[in-house]
Structures are given as C-alpha cells and as structure tokens.
Amino acid sequence: MVLLIQFKRPLRLPGRLLGDLFLGAVRRSPFVQEARSNLAAWEKAHKLLDD
C-alpha cells in the first residue's frame, strides 16, 4: 500500500508546477483509476445491503 499526501505549501513556480504535474499524472494513472472504481463498486454493494 502506498499513501501519498500532498500539502499545499508556498512554492515558487517551478516547484509548484512540478508537484501539480506529478499529482495529476498519479490521479490519471490506471492504478488509481482502478482503485477508485473498486471503491465505488464496494460502496454501491454496501448501500444495496443496507437497503
């Protein structure tokens, strides 16, 4: 398991741009997209069990 935490901190333009590009790439990666869809499916199944 990998945990990435990004804190907003005052950076100059090159550092801020690099951090934003990195996090944008991570968010769009297949690994993260699959995890998000799995979580959505689990929440949907859990909601069906509660009803």
Side-chain angles (χ1 to χ4, degrees), residues 13-28:
L13 185 60
R16 183 177 45 215
L17 182 60
L18 184 62
D20 290 345
L21 286 173
F22 173 74
L23 283 179
V26 169
R27 285 185 194 116
R28 290 174 185 83

Side-chain angles (χ1 to χ4, degrees), residues 1-19:
M1 178 180 288
V2 176
L3 176 64
L4 294 174
I5 299 175
Q6 177 70 20
F7 294 98
K8 288 290 185 181
R9 35 179 208 243
L11 294 173
R12 287 183 269 170
L13 185 60
R16 183 177 45 215
L17 182 60
L18 184 62

Side-chain angles (χ1 to χ4, degrees), residues 23-42:
L23 283 179
V26 169
R27 285 185 194 116
R28 290 174 185 83
S29 72
F31 179 76
V32 171
Q33 293 302 314
E34 181 183 1
R36 292 180 75 170
S37 66
N38 289 342
L39 179 60
W42 185 86

